[in-house]
Amino acid sequence: MKKKKLIGLMLAAVLSVTSLAGCGNQNSADATGSTDNGGAEASGTTENTDTAGSTVTAETENTNTQEEASGERIKLEVWDWWGDGQYKYVIEQLCQNFNESQDKYEVVHVNYPWGDVWTKALAATAAGNPPDIIIQDIRTVTHRGQANQATDLTDLIAQEGEGFTDQFYPQLMDAMIYDGRVYGLPYVTDTRILYYDKDAFTEAGLDPETPPQTWDELVEYARKLDIQNEDGTYERLGFYPGTLEWNAWAFSADGKDYTDTEGNVTVNTPEKVKLFENIYTDFYEYYGKKELDSFSAEFGSGMTNPFVAGKVAMWVNTPTEFTKVRDFAPEKNYGVTLMPALEEGGEHYSWGGGFSVEIPYGTKDVQGSWEFAKFITSKESQVFWASQVYDTVANIEASQDPSLMEIPVFKAALEAMPTTVVTLDRLTAPGASDIVLPYLDEIILGSKTPQEALDEAQAQVEQLVNDSK
């Protein structure tokens, strides 16, 4: 039984990347997910048998991480999915910076397509030939800790002295812990903020310096910002909730994940029910789902991005979305603010995901991998990363750097972080988000009331917790 459960958890750790892990970071995937396989020129292939008894293939550019890369240096590989564009440039620059900072190790960047990197790393780890460092999904660190797929960093952290982990946002550092031990360092995170078109506000008679602070204000402003054509279709929507995943809306309602570490289930809280009543009544029932679907079918990227193109006056997205405006509508007059609170005086909860830096179990030179992990999560490296790709970095001091505060989205992200919920795929309920999501779809379709759908989802997740004991 225990063996079956362990295998299931290993699979969940891989499969969850297709859920919210996208980590909320579908944006990261879009920005960096090329079809280029960084290991296409792999010179070594290792076959072995994983714990489920199936044959796995671990492909790397070089299979011996102890191989000297140049001179007497020990070669280390960092695996990720950043195969092109600015992300590739930045990670490779950080590798170069590290290599120039010392003369013992040489870090080489290896990339695989989004999602593939984690399945390949799992296979390579099972085969006894893991990468030296890997950028992983922050939501599933505990899975790898329990399955002995990640190196326990607790003693290494202790050697750094008291307060080492205080440099990271606490909710991100908490995600690194399994059974009181630490299995990674937080790297980047994200949050969701509200973008709004200031010129559209002015045209609608709204104060462009006073964005909505509550759900009721959001709806009130949206109605004034709507532009309807004579045939009943819409030229512009004041607000469109479908740019944020339904699970993410649920977490923003009350700042609670679906489960906690003790296995308590909070799917059908009054706040989550109310928020989905609002989403359905104020938008899908008001406009008609068919009309919204027809309108959103025109959404695209680049110049056809709905906010860039002026098709939506307000929307929720990650801070990195500002690059779309910067690149395709540099003259656009827009503002950013916190997501609206559910009620007057309530918290402005948001949702975030992120990525961790991990040392896979069985890595040949743990100390060298640790030195690189520390290097790329340091303030200097994290400021460089943020300034180039505009991710919200996990290092608190770096995220508050004055050079970044000159960019409005960074200020908004910094303000949002204390009330940003970083959801985890918990060992007490692996795959809970995947169970709930179809019920949220039923709300939007109008086939179930929010109370009915969330009550049923609550029961399903409670059963999942029971089955996972």
Side-chain angles (χ1 to χ4, degrees), residues 222-240:
R223 298 290 185 262
K224 294 179 180 179
L225 290 161
D226 283 344
I227 297 179
Q228 192 170 17
N229 299 316
E230 290 184 3
D231 63 359
T233 61
Y234 284 83
E235 178 66 26
R236 181 180 74 197
L237 287 180
F239 179 73
Y240 177 66

Side-chain angles (χ1 to χ4, degrees), residues 349-426:
Y349 291 115
S350 186
W351 173 74
F355 300 98
S356 57
V357 181
E358 297 176 29
I359 301 173
Y361 184 79
T363 296
K364 305 302 187 297
D365 196 313
V366 173
Q367 188 61 48
S369 298
W370 173 242
E371 293 302 322
F372 183 70
K374 287 191 300 178
F375 182 86
I376 63 169
T377 57
S378 68
K379 178 189 174 183
E380 182 179 11
S381 294
Q382 292 253 284
V383 169
F384 176 65
W385 181 273
S387 69
Q388 299 299 306
V389 299
Y390 306 105
D391 279 336
T392 303
V393 288
N395 185 299
I396 298 172
E397 194 176 356
S399 73
Q400 298 173 349
D401 190 80
S403 66
L404 301 179
M405 290 302 99
E406 297 175 3
I407 303 173
V409 292
F410 274 114
K411 292 180 70 173
L414 186 65
E415 189 179 355
M417 278 307 298
T419 52
T420 294
V421 184
V422 177
T423 57
L424 307 179
D425 192 58
R426 300 187 189 278

Side-chain angles (χ1 to χ4, degrees), residues 24 97 146 190 209 230 260 288 298 332 382 385 457:
N97 293 349
Q146 186 192 58
D190 54 26
E209 303 306 322
E230 290 184 3
D260 61 20
E298 300 178 23
K332 194 174 187 69
Q382 292 253 284
W385 181 273

Side-chain angles (χ1 to χ4, degrees), residues 173-230:
M173 198 62 226
D174 288 347
M176 303 295 104
I177 299 171
Y178 165 69
D179 199 22
R181 311 292 288 181
V182 182
Y183 289 89
L185 294 180
Y187 190 52
V188 294
T189 185
D190 54 26
T191 185
R192 269 62 182 165
I193 54 179
L194 180 73
Y195 290 77
Y196 66 99
D197 187 324
K198 288 188 174 184
D199 288 341
F201 268 49
T202 300
E203 293 166 7
L206 298 167
D207 183 351
E209 303 306 322
T210 310
Q213 298 300 304
T214 65
W215 182 270
D216 286 346
E217 286 184 353
L218 180 75
V219 176
E220 176 190 346
Y221 286 27
R223 298 290 185 262
K224 294 179 180 179
L225 290 161
D226 283 344
I227 297 179
Q228 192 170 17
N229 299 316
E230 290 184 3

Side-chain angles (χ1 to χ4, degrees), residues 131-169:
D132 302 284
I133 309 102
I134 186 168
I135 306 300
Q136 274 282 10
D137 170 18
I138 201 170
R139 297 180 62 245
T140 52
V141 176
T142 55
H143 289 274
R144 291 180 292 280
Q146 186 192 58
N148 207 31
Q149 296 164 356
T151 298
D152 183 345
L153 306 179
T154 310
D155 293 340
L156 290 167
I157 289 172
Q159 292 172 17
E160 300 298 322
E162 188 176 351
F164 175 81
T165 58
D166 293 343
Q167 64 186 304
F168 305 109
Y169 282 104

Side-chain angles (χ1 to χ4, degrees), residues 300-315:
S301 59
M303 288 300 296
T304 59
N305 172 289
F307 188 72
V308 168
K311 303 291 289 183
V312 175
M314 298 184 292
W315 76 338

